[in-house]
């Protein structure tokens, strides 16, 4: 985005997302309308180019976010930094804020359609209409992984394609061993952001829909878990990063963008 000299707003995408994801452009434009400088962070392997190490990215990996925040601060030491995390990016963002509550690099944050409990999400994606989303994500994950196995030697056993039929299978056979976790359950337990939210001390907006097909309502944090600086806004409808308004398909809009713009303008 063109540099307008304002505060920095960093956008973190979801699982297998990119700058091309339907929410990316509108969120960057919301930052621009809030007089902020939009910056987009691609996780490893999501920009259309594989990274040069066997490891990729995962829901609990805050190290790359820290590196990006440090780089922004070095280049723009006089500007405040804000962040918007979507789905997996929101999980990483909230985990970071909880881990670094005493000295966060961020002035404010917003997290959209976050899978607060990763195990809950993995179970939910196995059933009903959610299986459609799982198949789409799984095809992308498997394609990217097997492409990479042809480019470099992997430090883990390469599973057969027919062994990976669910997101849980992929996390159990690829994500977990590739990134130092015992198995998928260990990965979910240590990486789910819900346990880190009580430690957050940065003003943060949580935007979520009760009908999100990626998880059940039980995954959503309860009011007693939220510190005073964290505001949870629940809508009955909105799906996963949907939040569409309007009855005519060609004139439908995303009220999520306006809410994020309003939140950012408060800073």
């Amino acid at each position: 985005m063109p540099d307008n000299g304002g505060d920095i707003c960093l956008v973190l995408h979801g699982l297998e997302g990119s700058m091309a994801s339907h929410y990316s452009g509108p969120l960057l434009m919301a930052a621009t309308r809030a007089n902020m400088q939009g910056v987009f962070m691609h996780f490893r392997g999501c920009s259309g180019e594989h990274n040069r190490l066997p490891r990729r990215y995962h829901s609990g990996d805050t190290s790359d976010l820290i590196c990006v925040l440090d780089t922004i601060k070095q280049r723009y030491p006089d500007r405040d930094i804000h962040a918007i995390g979507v789905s997996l990016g929101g999980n990483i963002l909230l985990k970071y804020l909880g881990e670094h509550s005493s000295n966060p690099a961020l002035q404010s944050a917003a997290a959209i359609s976050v899978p607060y409990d990763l195990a809950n999400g993995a179970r939910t994606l196995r059933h009903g209409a959610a299986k459609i989303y799982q198949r789409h994500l799984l095809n992308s994950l498997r394609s990217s992984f097997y492409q990479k196995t042809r480019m470099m030697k992997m430090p883990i056993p390469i599973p057969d394609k027919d062994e990976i039929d669910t997101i849980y299978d992929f996390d159990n056979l690829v994500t977990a061993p590739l990134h130092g976790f015992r198995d998928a359950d260990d990965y979910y337990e240590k990486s789910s952001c819900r346990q880190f939210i009580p430690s957050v001390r940065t003003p943060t907006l949580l935007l979520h829909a009760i009908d999100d097909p990626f998880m059940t309502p039980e995954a959503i944090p309860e009011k007693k878990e939220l510190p005073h600086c964290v505001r949870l806004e629940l809508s009955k409808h909105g799906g996963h990063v949907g939040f569409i308004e309007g009855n005519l398909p060609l004139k439908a809009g995303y009220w999520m963008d306006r809410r994020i713009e309003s939140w950012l303008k408060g800073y």
Side-chain angles (χ1 to χ4, degrees), residues 94-104 193-202 204 225-230:
L94 293 173
K95 183 172 181 282
Y96 163 79
L97 290 173
E99 290 175 334
H100 299 269
S101 56
S102 61
N103 188 31
C193 69
R194 185 170 179 173
Q195 62 195 306
F196 296 93
I197 291 176
S199 300
V200 174
R201 297 295 178 266
T202 300
T204 301
E225 300 174 59
L226 306 177
H228 292 301
C229 63
V230 176

Side-chain angles (χ1 to χ4, degrees), residues 82-202:
H82 311 258
I84 305 168
V86 179
S87 193
L88 172 144
N91 189 89
I92 292 174
L93 177 59
L94 293 173
K95 183 172 181 282
Y96 163 79
L97 290 173
E99 290 175 334
H100 299 269
S101 56
S102 61
N103 188 31
L106 296 170
Q107 191 75 10
S108 75
I112 303 164
S113 297
V114 175
Y116 300 101
D117 182 334
L118 297 173
N120 177 291
R123 289 193 301 269
T124 303
L125 286 169
R126 298 179 188 178
H127 305 287
K131 291 194 293 185
I132 299 173
Y133 296 100
Q134 175 172 246
R135 183 55 52 188
H136 171 72
L137 292 170
L138 193 59
N139 286 341
S140 180
L141 287 166
R142 287 191 303 196
S143 174
S144 181
F145 173 68
Y146 286 113
Q147 283 179 20
K148 202 164 187 180
T149 63
R150 294 191 289 269
M151 296 170 56
M152 64 183 71
K153 182 177 177 59
M154 289 288 162
I156 62 172
I158 307 302
D160 293 333
K161 291 183 179 181
D162 57 8
E163 293 183 80
I164 303 177
D165 194 49
T166 65
I167 293 292
Y168 181 91
D169 294 337
F170 185 87
D171 287 337
N172 198 47
L173 296 173
V174 178
T175 308
L178 191 58
H179 299 99
F181 297 99
R182 183 183 66 250
D183 52 26
D185 296 319
D186 182 49
Y187 162 51
Y188 295 155
E189 179 182 352
K190 292 177 179 176
S191 300
S192 295
C193 69
R194 185 170 179 173
Q195 62 195 306
F196 296 93
I197 291 176
S199 300
V200 174
R201 297 295 178 266
T202 300

Side-chain angles (χ1 to χ4, degrees), residues 52 68 76 115 183 222:
R52 291 173 290 177
V68 170
Y76 306 99
D183 52 26
E222 298 179 12

Side-chain angles (χ1 to χ4, degrees), residues 8-12 39 41 62-77 79-84 92-93 96-97 100 103-109 202:
I8 305 294
C9 181
L10 179 66
V11 176
L12 288 71
V39 176
M41 175 181 172
T62 56
S63 60
D64 285 347
L65 172 58
I66 292 171
C67 179
V68 170
L69 290 174
D70 287 345
T71 300
I72 292 173
K73 203 62 184 175
Q74 290 172 8
R75 293 183 181 181
Y76 306 99
R79 301 194 199 182
D80 288 334
I81 308 173
H82 311 258
I84 305 168
I92 292 174
L93 177 59
Y96 163 79
L97 290 173
H100 299 269
N103 188 31
L106 296 170
Q107 191 75 10
S108 75
T202 300

Side-chain angles (χ1 to χ4, degrees), residues 233-250:
E233 295 185 1
L234 277 175
S235 63
K236 290 183 179 180
H237 306 289
H240 192 72
V241 202
F243 307 102
I244 298 174
E245 61 183 357
N247 296 321
L248 300 176
L250 296 180

